[in-house]
């Protein structure tokens, strides 16, 4: 019996195509007995040869006859049409539950070309149908991922509606703990569901969701006390206990023990992930990467667990700045959900990989549609639901506090538990961006919750969470507020441990902001170390940019950091810093001008030698505007000719030159007279606009108060009589209020109606709705000061607008309490306890002056202010002691000599030296 040539070609083609699929790791199975349109059934495997549980079919057509109808473009063959006169086969392929490939095999070149048989690719004709087989789609390793996408294209995703009660039933033990860590709602019993025997996986999920306490009571279930579990227990209970111990005490020893006890691959996967997540929270990405690498290297994990560990490894490498392998891993893992469409953790891993790709890839190379779709997962929805529960509870707490409702329990554990659960779920998944956001939410809650009993350790931990999560803006705001308000050691302890040389990708910007916000609390040697590091990195920024991938201007930020810390650097190191700065100015003329200006302004006068001043004056000729006058102002102290030039420019109306001259108290009579005449001229000219006139009025006010022999009150009063709200009136009104005692009585009589008219001006333009610069606090301050002068005591009616206002209003109220007065004494006592540290600091300044005057109320209030937990009050008290040679005040403040603030300690040393 003789075989046909077509049979021979078909058999050879099917065998050769099967061999090609075997070479890419797939398992082909010939379908000889029931071939109705499927020559091969294909079992796809991943690159590690793990079965993926998918199925695809292939119809093979071999021989030259199938390449007789090419399609060309620009003279090049782009594919071949395959057609049949009947539609039966095409209907079969399109309706089969398994996706099908049509493979055209060239027997001469042993090349197999394929097309996915879909409704989009198939062209139905009047009779029959056809499909184009592309010339660039071949069965080989290069196209393995594309073939895998075909194999998974018809897999159905599992529906999770209604799972909140029953969870995920009958999950295989090899997948159970991955679900417990990533989607704990599917494993943990519903809060309202009674469960007698809680298994270890459920206990782990309950710990993550912070609900294990509900099942630790005999009346609810039989669950062991996790605190009593040790190495003699089975691995699964060790993991549950290790997770709980880490969450509650930051001790990761139990997680290390669980990894040691893990014997099965799925146990190693869950234990490794839990430990890596903890290490990442501890800011130890290097060790996390090493541990994940070891477990991956064992090559024992199933496909999804393997992807899970690769994601954890990539997350750690992301933190370490090694982004090339991170991008490669993320691209590969995005396809995981298609390979395991019924596993909700697989889609979660794909989504986290997509987020990681967003964070590291060149956006021009990203498939946005695929990447965004990958992030839209059930696990992400459930995690956001948990966050929503926490934020809703926080809102309820805020509302109850607003309503002064004390009937219920505080509920701190409830809100904190939900927000902490979200951080755990994101961390165990390896979704770094979501973890950062959840950690920031948690820290903000801890810092702002009215139901939290404030402890220094709580605040310190919250600050460190903000730093580790890279929430640089929130950290800056929080650190500044806590430093001023206290407890100051919470900021100092975190800042003392902060070295930007150890920063990761996420913490780098936050570390810089923390050091800047806490600058006054740093030890001088620590500040010097950071400044020297910043100078070195400024000069050679490339390595820093390549390793930490900052999304901000590194050199600009480094100069700003140096400027912030220079006031804390030991005196013997300042000359080197200043020399470096002057050398850097011509090399980077515009890049860092603002930061260099601040740095120059903060260098003490004693550091400026004649040589350095000369160099600064030379640089000023070509320096950009923000820096030019800072250099000239610094040089003027050593170079009289520079000061003369600045005075000439100030006479001509250059405001920056005026600021560079320093305190107006040191201006000679001729300069004062010339400046007053210039201000008078500016006030009489309307062409300059309201803002220029306000600047002139401010200068005229200041000079008239400080140099009363040259005062021009008539011009100022005339301007106030006609000025409108478009001008920035705040400075003029505040200066007048602060110096009211030195204003002649005939002038104060003219000021009162002018200020009353100004107060009645609307705060916004009725036509455009534009809001004008605020000035009501300063106007109320001035009116209250004028009333106090007239009545020789504080007037309750004029105080009301100040006491019912914001922080600035209350600060102005404190400034009115400088003289013994029945109302003022009580008011000062109250404001010394104000919840805002800036109000307390203003009150402290008034108290210090009253102590100098021998006032008993001041002496009674001072000990309380000395104990203020922040630095704002201490700075003011120490500054007043250094400014006035008052033995009584200085000795009462002696305990501030050991204050954490460098500025406070320096001022106190200066104060005591003045007493000698």
């Amino acid at each position: 019996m003789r075989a046909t040539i077509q049979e021979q070609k078909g058999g050879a083609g099917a065998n050769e195509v099967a061999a090609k699929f075997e070479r890419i790791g797939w398992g082909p199975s010939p379908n000889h007995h029931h071939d109705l349109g499927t020559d091969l059934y294909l079992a796809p495997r991943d690159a590690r040869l793990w079965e993926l549980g998918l199925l695809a079919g292939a119809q093979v057509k071999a021989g030259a006859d199938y390449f007789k109808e090419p399609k060309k473009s620009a003279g090049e063959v782009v594919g071949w049409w395959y057609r049949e006169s009947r539609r039966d086969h095409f209907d079969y392929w399109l309706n089969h539950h398994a996706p099908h490939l049509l493979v055209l095999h060239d027997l001469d070149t042993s090349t197999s070309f394929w097309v996915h048989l879909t409704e989009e690719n198939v062209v139905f004709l009047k009779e029959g149908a056809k499909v184009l087989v592309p010339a660039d789609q071949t069965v080989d390793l290069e196209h393995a991922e594309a073939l895998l996408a075909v194999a998974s294209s018809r897999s159905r995703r599992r529906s999770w509606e209604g799972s909140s009660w029953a969870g995920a039933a009958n999950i295989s033990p090899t997948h159970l703990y991955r679900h417990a860590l990533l989607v704990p709602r599917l494993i943990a019993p519903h809060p309202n569901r009674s469960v007698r025997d809680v298994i270890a996986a459920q206990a782990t999920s309950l710990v993550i969701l912070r609900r294990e306490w509900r099942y630790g009571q005999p009346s609810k279930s039989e669950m062991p006390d996790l605190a009593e579990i040790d190495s003699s227990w089975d691995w699964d209970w060790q993991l549950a206990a290790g997770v709980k111990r880490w969450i509650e005490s930051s001790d990761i020893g139990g997680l290390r023990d669980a990894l040691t006890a893990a014997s099965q691959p799925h146990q190693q996967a869950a234990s490794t992930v839990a430990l890596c997540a903890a290490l990442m929270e501890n800011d130890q990405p290097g060790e996390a990467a090493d541990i994940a690498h070891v477990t991956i290297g064992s090559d024992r994990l199933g496909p999804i667990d393997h992807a899970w560990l690769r994601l954890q490894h990539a997350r750690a490498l992301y933190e370490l700045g090694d982004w090339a392998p991170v991008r490669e891993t993320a691209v590969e893992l995005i396809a995981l959900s298609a390979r395991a469409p019924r596993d909700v953790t697989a889609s979660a891993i794909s989504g986290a990989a997509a987020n990681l790709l967003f964070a590291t890839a060149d956006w021009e190379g990203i498939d946005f549609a695929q990447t965004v779709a990958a992030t839209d997962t059930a696990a992400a929805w459930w995690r956001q639901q948990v966050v929503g529960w926490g934020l809703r509870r926080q809102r309820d707490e805020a509302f109850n506090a607003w309503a002064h409702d004390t009937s219920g329990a505080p509920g701190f554990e409830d809100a904190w538990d939900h927000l902490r659960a979200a951080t755990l779920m994101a961390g165990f998944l390896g979704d770094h961006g979501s973890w950062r956001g959840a950690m920031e939410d948690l820290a903000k809650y801890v810092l702002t919750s009215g139901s939290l009993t404030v402890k220094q350790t709580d605040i310190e931990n919250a600050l460190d969470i903000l730093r580790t999560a890279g929430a640089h803006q929130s950290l800056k705001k929080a650190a500044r507020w806590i430093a001023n308000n206290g407890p100051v050691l919470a900021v100092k302890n975190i800042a003392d441990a902060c070295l930007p040389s150890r920063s990761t990708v996420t913490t780098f910007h936050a570390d810089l902001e923390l050091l800047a916000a806490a600058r006054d609390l740093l030890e001088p040697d620590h500040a010097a170390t950071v400044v020297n590091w910043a100078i070195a990195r400024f000069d050679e920024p490339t390595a820093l940019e390549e390793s930490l991938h900052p999304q901000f201007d590194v050199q600009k930020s480094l100069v700003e950091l140096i400027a912030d810390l220079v006031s804390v650097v030991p005196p013997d190191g300042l000359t080197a810093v200043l020399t470096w700065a002057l050398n850097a100015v011509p090399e980077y003329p515009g890049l860092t001008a603002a930061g260099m200006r601040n740095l120059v302004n903060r260098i003490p006068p004693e550091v400026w030698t004649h040589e350095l001043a000369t160099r600064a004056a030379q640089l000023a000729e070509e320096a950009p505007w923000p820096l030019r006058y800072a250099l000239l102002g610094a040089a003027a102290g050593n170079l009289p000719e520079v000061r003369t030039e600045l005075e000439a420019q100030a006479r001509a109306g250059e405001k920056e030159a005026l600021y560079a001259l320093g305190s107006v108290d040191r201006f000679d009579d001729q300069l004062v007279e010339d400046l007053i005449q210039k201000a008078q001229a500016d006030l009489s000219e309307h062409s300059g606009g309201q803002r220029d006139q306000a600047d002139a009025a401010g200068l005229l006010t200041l000079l008239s108060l400080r140099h009363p022999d040259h005062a021009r009150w008539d011009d100022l009063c005339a301007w106030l009589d006609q000025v409108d709200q478009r001008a920035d009136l705040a400075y003029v009104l505040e200066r007048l209020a602060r110096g009211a005692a030195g204003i002649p009585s005939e002038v104060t009589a003219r000021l009162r109606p002018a200020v009353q008219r100004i107060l009645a001006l609307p705060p916004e333009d009725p036509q455009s709705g534009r809001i004008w610069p605020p000035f009501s606090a300063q106007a109320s301050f001035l009116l209250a000061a004028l009333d106090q002068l007239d009545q020789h005591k504080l007037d309750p009616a004029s105080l009301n607008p100040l006491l019912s206002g914001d922080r600035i209003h209350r600060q102005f109220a404190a400034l009115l309490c400088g003289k013994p007065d029945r109302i003022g004494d009580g008011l000062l006592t109250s404001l010394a306890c104000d919840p805002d540290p800036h109000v307390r600091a203003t009150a402290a300044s008034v108290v210090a002056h009253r102590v100098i005057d021998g006032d008993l109320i001041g002496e009674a209030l001072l000990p309380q202010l000395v104990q203020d937990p922040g630095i704002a009050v201490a700075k003011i008290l120490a500054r007043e002691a250094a400014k006035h040679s008052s033995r009584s005040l200085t000795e009462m403040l002696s305990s501030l000599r050991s204050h954490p603030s460098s500025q406070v300690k320096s001022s106190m040393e200066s104060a005591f030296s003045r007493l000698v």
Side-chain angles (χ1 to χ4, degrees):
M1 191 172 183
R2 184 176 183 179
T4 66
I5 294 177
Q6 186 60 37
E7 288 177 330
Q8 184 67 20
K9 289 181 178 179
N15 290 335
E16 291 184 18
V17 171
K20 289 185 177 295
F21 276 105
E22 287 180 335
R23 290 191 188 98
I24 68 172
W26 289 27
S29 177
N31 184 32
H32 298 308
H33 300 293
H34 303 284
D35 179 8
L36 299 176
T38 306
D39 291 318
L40 300 171
Y41 280 110
L42 306 168
R45 302 187 184 114
D46 66 12
R48 298 165 56 240
L49 303 183
W50 280 79
E51 293 280 357
L52 299 176
L54 301 174
L55 180 67
Q59 179 73 7
V60 179
K61 301 296 179 180
D65 291 344
Y66 296 105
F67 295 89
K68 290 182 178 180
E69 192 179 346
K71 179 181 179 180
K72 295 185 177 181
S73 177
E76 297 289 331
V77 175
V78 296
W80 299 270
W81 287 106
Y82 171 82
R83 66 177 68 233
E84 291 188 5
S85 59
R86 297 178 59 182
R87 299 178 180 175
D88 297 5
H89 275 141
F90 282 96
D91 289 338
Y92 166 81
W93 293 326
L94 293 177
N95 292 308
H96 202 289
H97 76 277
H100 268 62
L101 302 164
L102 175 67
V103 182
L104 300 187
H105 183 70
D106 188 330
L107 291 169
D108 295 332
T109 63
S110 189
T111 307
S112 301
F113 305 90
W114 60 271
V115 65
H116 183 195
L117 292 162
T118 65
E119 293 178 352
E120 291 77 16
N121 291 334
V122 171
V123 179
F124 286 100
L125 307 172
K126 186 175 182 180
E127 293 185 2
K130 66 178 182 177
V131 66
L132 181 69
V133 182
D136 59 355
Q137 291 186 173
T138 51
V139 180
D140 48 34
L141 285 173
E142 182 182 351
H143 296 88
E145 284 297 322
L147 287 164
L148 195 55
V150 172
S152 59
S153 62
R154 292 192 187 173
S155 299
R156 294 183 178 179
R157 296 189 179 276
R158 187 171 179 178
S159 175
W160 292 103
E161 285 86 351
S163 62
S164 61
W165 178 260
N170 301 321
I171 293 180
S172 166
T174 57
H175 301 297
L176 187 60
Y177 280 89
R178 187 174 65 251
H179 284 73
L181 294 177
L182 303 191
V183 284
R185 80 188 293 270
L186 296 180
I187 308 302
H190 189 276
N192 295 322
R193 188 178 182 185
S194 178
V195 177
R196 292 300 305 171
D197 296 315
V198 174
I199 63 173
Q202 291 176 316
T204 302
S205 293
L206 288 168
V207 167
I208 294 169
L209 295 174
R210 311 300 300 129
R211 296 207 312 258
E212 76 281 2
W213 61 271
R214 296 174 181 263
Y215 295 89
Q217 308 166 30
S219 61
K220 290 287 290 186
S221 68
E222 296 296 333
M223 189 177 89
D225 184 351
L226 297 181
E228 297 179 356
I229 289 176
D230 56 27
S231 59
S232 65
W233 285 67
D234 291 340
W235 166 83
D236 50 3
W237 283 109
Q238 288 192 50
L239 179 65
V243 171
K244 180 178 175 65
R245 180 171 151 195
W246 164 56
I247 294 172
E248 296 183 351
S249 67
S250 300
D251 183 354
I252 63 174
L255 296 177
R256 294 188 188 276
D257 293 342
L259 179 57
T260 301
S263 58
Q264 299 301 313
H266 69 278
Q267 297 175 351
Q268 291 178 323
S271 298
T272 302
V273 165
L275 181 55
C276 286
L279 290 169
M280 292 295 290
E281 281 202 12
N282 289 353
D283 200 15
Q284 297 174 270
E287 186 178 354
D290 292 342
I291 290 173
H293 180 71
V294 170
T295 302
I296 293 170
S298 69
D299 201 26
R300 301 179 64 205
L301 307 180
I304 302 178
D305 280 345
H306 182 75
W308 192 20
L309 264 295
R310 290 186 67 198
L311 179 62
Q312 295 290 335
H313 185 246
R315 180 193 180 196
L317 293 182
Y318 168 87
E319 277 295 80
L320 297 170
D322 190 5
W323 281 13
V326 173
R327 285 190 287 263
E328 294 175 6
T329 298
V331 169
E332 294 177 20
L333 295 186
I334 287 176
L336 180 66
S337 62
R339 301 178 191 176
R342 293 184 60 78
D343 191 310
V344 69
T345 64
S347 64
I349 293 167
S350 292
N355 284 333
L356 200 56
L357 182 61
F358 262 124
T360 58
D362 178 1
W363 281 30
E364 293 183 359
I366 291 180
D367 182 343
F368 278 95
Q370 179 191 22
T371 308
V372 171
T375 63
D376 191 17
T377 66
W381 305 337
W382 294 334
R383 186 175 62 246
Q384 285 304 114
Q385 184 183 49
V386 172
V387 172
W389 289 336
L391 296 179
R392 182 175 65 184
R393 181 59 189 172
Q394 183 180 21
R395 178 202 62 199
D396 291 342
E397 292 174 7
F399 175 80
N400 290 337
W402 171 81
H404 294 79
D405 177 25
T406 58
S407 60
F412 165 70
E413 296 294 328
D414 194 10
W416 186 90
D417 288 343
H418 289 313
L419 295 174
R420 181 59 172 134
T423 69
L424 296 169
M425 293 158 67
F428 289 142
L429 174 58
D431 189 343
H432 193 65
S434 298
W435 172 82
R436 289 180 60 188
M439 290 290 278
E440 183 175 4
D441 286 340
L442 179 65
K444 286 180 176 178
Y445 173 73
V446 171
L447 292 172
T448 62
S449 174
S451 60
L452 173 64
T453 301
V454 178
K455 300 177 183 177
Q456 179 181 312
T457 53
D458 294 327
I459 296 174
E460 191 173 321
N461 289 338
L463 290 173
D464 198 39
I465 287 173
L466 291 175
R467 188 194 69 82
T468 307
H472 60 93
Q473 290 286 3
S474 296
L475 178 61
K476 175 172 68 173
K477 296 173 186 177
R480 286 179 175 176
W481 172 257
I482 296 168
N484 281 319
N485 194 48
V488 66
L489 289 179
V491 179
K492 178 174 175 56
N493 291 342
I494 295 296
D496 282 345
C498 181
L499 282 174
S501 58
R502 296 202 295 257
S503 295
T504 66
V505 167
T506 296
T507 67
F508 180 42
H509 202 175
D511 286 340
L512 299 187
E513 294 289 5
L514 173 63
L515 290 167
R519 56 186 175 271
D520 193 39
L521 299 174
L522 298 178
E523 295 299 325
D525 289 343
H526 185 190
T529 298
V530 173
V531 166
N532 291 334
W533 171 89
I535 288 174
R537 296 306 178 275
F538 179 93
D539 294 336
E540 296 291 339
T542 304
L544 194 65
E545 292 170 346
E546 291 177 350
S547 62
L548 295 180
H549 308 275
Q551 303 299 307
F552 56 94
D553 189 327
V554 172
Q555 287 187 304
K556 178 175 178 290
S557 295
L558 290 177
V559 169
E560 291 172 350
L561 178 65
I562 295 168
D564 284 327
L565 300 190
V566 73
S567 60
V568 192
V569 172
D572 57 2
L574 291 177
T575 299
V577 175
L578 178 56
T579 302
W580 165 81
L582 295 178
N583 290 334
V585 166
E587 190 171 352
Y588 306 95
L591 176 66
T592 59
M596 285 294 187
R597 175 192 59 193
N598 294 335
L599 193 159
V600 168
N601 285 336
R602 291 168 185 169
I603 296 291
E606 57 268 22
V607 178
W608 289 93
T609 63
H610 187 276
E611 180 182 357
L612 291 172
T614 302
R615 174 66 171 150
Q618 294 170 347
L619 290 172
E621 296 177 4
E622 300 296 332
W625 175 82
L627 177 59
R628 179 182 307 150
Y629 287 98
L631 292 168
L632 291 174
N638 286 274
L639 304 175
E641 64 274 18
V642 173
R643 184 170 182 85
T644 300
E645 175 59 26
L646 285 174
E647 289 179 355
Q649 292 187 35
R651 288 183 171 94
E654 177 54 63
K655 290 184 290 186
E656 292 296 325
L658 179 63
Y659 300 149
L661 287 170
S663 173
V664 299
D665 293 342
R666 297 197 298 269
F667 290 5
D668 61 41
D669 287 345
Q670 187 58 55
L671 177 59
V672 170
E673 187 61 31
D674 292 343
L675 291 174
I676 282 183
Q677 291 180 12
K678 175 67 170 119
Q680 285 179 292
D682 289 343
L683 281 181
S684 65
E685 294 177 2
H686 297 284
S687 58
Q690 294 281 348
R691 178 165 292 278
D692 289 340
Q693 288 188 347
D695 290 338
L699 177 60
L700 184 58
T701 302
L702 181 62
L703 293 175
S704 295
L705 288 170
R706 298 294 181 85
H707 298 273
D709 292 343
H710 299 271
R712 299 292 193 277
W713 294 113
D714 288 344
D715 297 274
L716 182 61
C717 289
W719 181 75
L720 288 172
D721 285 338
Q722 54 82 35
V723 72
D724 63 31
Q725 66 270 47
R726 289 176 296 170
D728 190 352
L729 295 164
Y731 178 81
V732 173
L733 297 173
E734 181 177 344
R735 277 292 168 191
L736 289 171
R738 286 176 178 268
I743 301 175
S745 58
E746 63 273 15
V747 176
T748 61
R750 290 188 60 184
L751 286 175
R752 182 185 302 281
V755 178
Q756 290 172 335
R757 182 190 67 84
I758 289 171
L759 260 178
L761 293 173
E764 64 182 45
D765 188 331
Q767 300 297 326
S768 65
R770 177 185 175 185
I771 298 177
W772 304 118
F775 52 79
S776 64
Q778 291 79 8
S780 298
F781 180 28
L782 178 53
L783 275 181
L786 294 176
D787 287 341
Q788 186 179 29
L789 283 176
D790 289 347
Q791 302 174 27
H792 304 290
K793 64 179 180 178
L794 286 174
D795 180 9
S798 60
L799 285 174
N800 284 338
L802 296 175
L803 295 179
S804 60
D806 60 12
R807 167 176 66 86
I808 296 175
H809 287 77
R810 301 198 303 280
Q811 284 181 274
F812 291 152
L815 291 173
L816 295 170
C817 303
K819 298 296 182 181
D821 176 276
R822 181 177 60 82
I823 295 176
D825 293 349
L827 178 58
L828 184 61
T829 302
S830 175
L831 294 174
C833 303
D834 194 272
D836 191 290
H838 301 92
V839 177
R840 299 198 301 272
T842 304
S845 175
V846 175
V847 167
H849 282 271
R850 291 182 65 161
V851 169
I852 293 172
D853 293 339
D855 178 66
L856 295 179
I857 296 295
E859 292 178 359
L861 290 176
L862 188 60
Q864 164 196 324
L865 291 165
V866 171
Q867 298 299 318
D868 193 275
I871 62 174
V873 171
K875 278 184 177 181
I876 292 295
L877 292 174
R879 185 189 68 186
E880 297 296 344
K883 187 188 302 184
H884 307 282
S885 300
S886 168
R887 181 172 297 278
S888 59
L889 176 63
T890 301
E891 290 180 348
M892 289 185 72
L893 300 178
S894 60
S895 63
L896 295 182
R897 300 179 79 174
S898 59
H899 196 275
S901 163
S902 296
Q903 183 177 331
V904 171
K905 287 185 286 192
S906 176
S907 295
M908 289 308 303
E909 292 308 311
S910 174
F912 274 96
S913 67
R914 290 166 66 97
L915 298 182
V916 177

